[in-house]
């Protein structure tokens, strides 16, 4: 179990160093997305890699 000091440090780190994004998926209309994400071992990593891929494509189109 974390000490109060550890909890405070963790909360401070999260506040200062991270940002959270939330998406909502409709159970019927987005069932394909929900199913796909449920199969992934690392949803956050997948989303980040897809975004970075898109950024790379857009940077290539700008040059």
């Amino acid at each position: 179990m974390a000490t109060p000091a550890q909890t405070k440090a963790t909360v401070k780190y999260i506040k200062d160093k991270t940002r959270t994004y939330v998406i909502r998926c409709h159970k019927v209309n987005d069932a394909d997305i929900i199913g796909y994400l449920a199969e992934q071992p690392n949803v956050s990593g997948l989303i980040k890699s897809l975004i970075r891929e898109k950024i790379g494509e857009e940077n290539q189109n700008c040059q």
Side-chain angles (χ1 to χ4, degrees):
M1 190 163 150
T3 66
Q6 289 170 323
T7 303
K8 184 178 177 181
T10 300
V11 169
K12 182 180 181 337
Y13 177 85
I14 290 170
K15 181 181 174 187
D16 293 345
K17 306 288 184 185
T18 67
R19 176 168 247 171
T20 301
Y21 295 92
V22 177
I23 63 166
R24 296 186 193 280
C25 296
H26 189 275
K27 289 182 180 178
V28 175
N29 297 339
D30 298 325
D32 56 338
I33 295 170
I34 294 168
Y36 183 76
L37 292 176
E39 296 172 354
Q40 303 308 307
N42 182 353
V43 174
S44 180
L46 170 68
I47 292 169
K48 289 176 185 179
S49 69
L50 291 172
I51 292 170
R52 287 186 176 114
E53 183 179 311
K54 184 68 174 175
I55 290 169
E57 290 173 4
E58 290 179 3
N59 286 341
Q60 285 181 342
N61 290 338
C62 291
Q63 295 175 355

